[in-house]
């Protein structure tokens, strides 16, 4: 239930907060009266009257707008003086997402969250677990002559991420791994040797790095998630193709953390079972013949 404030106390808090906001703004009472379109006597009364009366909504809103604070804060309905627009701007950011390996922004987010648990739903297979051969197959067409340099730099960053003190939980749909193993859909044309090498690396890393690295596979017929990464309690980032959408307010981070934890609880294949599924996939494709020209 909302906390009820006595009318006299609310009026007193309004006066104190108005005085504080006026002082912080550097404006005089006359300037505030002029900019709000309110009589100077009314402003003086608001700043000095110790009664229980509050001004009307127009006066509160005008004062809040001129002084750069929120009306809710002046009325003790919020403890944050920033306006709703300012709060949203500080808690949400939009930045470009280049078609590149672990760009500087992503790497900075990982470094900022070092030591916290990082929860990740990748757009495809997680880059930090890929072999060099798969990275070249996937990124060389987009990076052109700089592919080798970019992949080399990216490998250094991925190595740092693997060796950091963060725990990583990765949730992904089962079909993504199945599609990769059988070279269908996005992975059409991927050579068998690259797939086998990658499955070997997945199995090795999920065994060597457990429990700091845990991968869960869920059924996309029952569950869905957009690509996202939750950097502990600090940040939640959605991948929207051409841009990242990042949230820093705790309420949204907790909401999406709950969503991620639901994926983990409902996963069809747990972190302990992933190695077995990887071995089964390798066995299933090991005897495949290369496609006929």
């Amino acid at each position: 239930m909302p906390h009820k404030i006595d009318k006299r106390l609310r009026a007193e808090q309004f006066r104190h907060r108005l005085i504080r906001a006026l002082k912080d703004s550097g404006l005089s009472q006359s300037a505030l009266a002029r900019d709000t379109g309110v009589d100077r006597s009314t402003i003086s009364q608001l700043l000095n009257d110790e009664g229980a009366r509050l001004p009307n909504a127009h006066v509160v809103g005008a004062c809040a707008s001129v002084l750069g604070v929120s009306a809710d804060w002046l009325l003790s309905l919020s403890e944050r003086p920033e306006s709703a627009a300012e709060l949203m701007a500080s808690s949400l950011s939009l930045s470009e997402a280049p078609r590149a390996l672990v760009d500087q922004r992503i790497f900075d987010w990982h470094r900022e969250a070092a030591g916290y648990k990082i929860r990740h739903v990748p757009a495809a297979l997680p880059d930090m677990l890929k072999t060099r051969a798969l990275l070249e197959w996937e990124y060389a067409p987009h990076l052109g002559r700089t592919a080798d340099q970019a992949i080399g730099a990216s490998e250094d960053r991925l190595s740092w991420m693997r060796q950091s003190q963060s725990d990583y939980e990765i949730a992904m749909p089962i079909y993504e791994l199945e599609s990769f193993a059988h070279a269908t859909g996005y992975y059409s044309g991927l050579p068998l040797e690259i797939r086998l090498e990658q499955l070997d690396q997945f199995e090795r890393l999920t065994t060597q790095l457990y429990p700091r690295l845990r991968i869960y596979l869920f059924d996309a017929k029952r569950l869905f998630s957009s690509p996202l990464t939750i950097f502990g309690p600090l940040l939640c980032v959605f991948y929207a193709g051409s841009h990242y959408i990042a949230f820093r307010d705790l309420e949204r981070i907790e909401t999406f953390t709950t969503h991620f934890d639901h994926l983990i609880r409902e996963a069809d294949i747990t972190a302990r079972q992933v190695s077995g599924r990887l071995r089964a996939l390798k066995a299933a494709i090991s005897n495949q013949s290369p496609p006929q020209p």
Side-chain angles (χ1 to χ4, degrees):
M1 294 180 61
H3 178 62
K4 292 184 178 180
I5 302 177
D6 177 78
K7 185 177 180 180
R8 184 173 294 275
L9 177 59
R10 190 184 298 278
E12 180 182 353
Q13 289 180 337
F14 173 84
R15 185 173 67 257
H16 290 323
R17 292 187 175 191
L18 184 62
I19 292 171
R20 171 182 160 186
L22 182 61
K23 181 180 178 181
D24 291 344
S25 73
L27 295 175
S28 65
Q29 292 187 34
S30 297
L32 178 61
R34 182 184 64 250
D35 292 347
T36 57
V38 176
D39 290 341
R40 182 175 176 180
S41 60
T42 300
I43 295 296
S44 178
Q45 186 178 28
L46 292 176
L47 294 169
N48 297 288
D49 186 9
E50 297 185 0
R53 293 186 60 187
L54 286 168
N56 62 40
H58 169 75
V59 173
V60 174
C63 288
S65 177
V66 169
L67 297 174
V69 296
S70 72
D72 281 354
W73 179 74
L74 286 176
L75 295 171
S76 298
L77 299 174
S78 168
E79 294 305 312
R80 298 290 297 270
E82 302 97 329
S83 68
E86 290 171 329
L87 287 173
M88 180 62 74
S90 66
S91 65
L92 185 150
S93 62
L94 190 67
S95 56
E96 290 188 5
R99 176 63 173 169
L101 283 165
V102 193
D103 62 41
Q104 184 63 43
R105 187 175 301 275
I106 293 178
F107 189 48
D108 288 343
W109 286 332
H110 278 273
R111 290 194 298 183
E112 179 185 355
Y116 289 109
K117 179 189 288 187
I118 295 176
R119 300 167 170 90
H120 182 44
V121 180
L125 296 179
D127 279 347
M128 66 182 295
L129 303 181
K130 289 175 182 175
T131 63
R132 186 179 183 88
L134 180 55
L135 292 172
E136 290 175 346
W137 178 85
E138 188 170 8
Y139 286 97
H142 307 282
L143 300 178
R145 291 180 297 176
T146 64
D148 190 67
Q149 180 181 359
I151 290 171
S154 183
E155 285 177 330
D156 292 339
R157 294 180 178 182
L158 297 177
S159 177
W160 180 91
M161 288 159 59
R162 290 176 190 158
Q163 296 170 16
S164 72
Q165 297 305 306
S166 297
D167 285 351
Y168 283 83
E169 282 189 338
I170 297 174
M172 49 191 288
I174 296 172
Y175 75 77
E176 189 70 40
L177 199 57
E178 298 279 347
S179 178
F180 167 79
H182 294 284
T184 59
Y186 177 81
Y187 304 99
S188 178
L190 182 59
L192 177 61
E193 61 271 18
I194 294 180
R195 288 180 276 143
L196 289 172
E197 179 190 22
Q198 181 64 70
L199 291 172
D200 281 336
Q201 171 143 309
F202 277 154
E203 183 182 359
R204 181 172 64 256
L205 292 176
T206 54
T207 301
Q208 291 178 350
L209 300 181
Y210 183 88
R212 285 187 49 240
L213 169 66
R214 299 184 296 279
I215 298 179
Y216 299 81
L217 303 177
F218 60 85
D219 183 355
K221 294 186 181 70
R222 295 191 302 110
L223 303 169
F224 172 78
S225 178
S226 299
L228 65 91
T229 306
I230 304 169
F231 296 90
L234 306 178
L235 181 70
C236 177
V237 178
F238 280 85
Y239 176 61
S242 61
H243 288 78
Y244 300 117
I245 304 172
F247 297 94
R248 286 191 177 272
D249 59 299
L250 187 58
E251 183 176 355
R252 285 183 175 83
I253 294 172
E254 289 177 346
T255 295
F256 296 122
T257 298
T258 299
H259 159 73
F260 184 92
D261 290 345
H262 178 68
L263 297 178
I264 298 302
R265 286 195 305 272
E266 295 296 318
D268 293 76
I269 300 173
T270 67
R272 291 182 178 275
Q273 298 169 328
V274 165
S275 293
R277 175 55 67 98
L278 292 168
R279 288 192 294 271
L281 286 172
K282 285 191 294 182
I285 67 173
S286 290
N287 297 320
Q288 286 182 353
S289 301
Q292 297 298 317

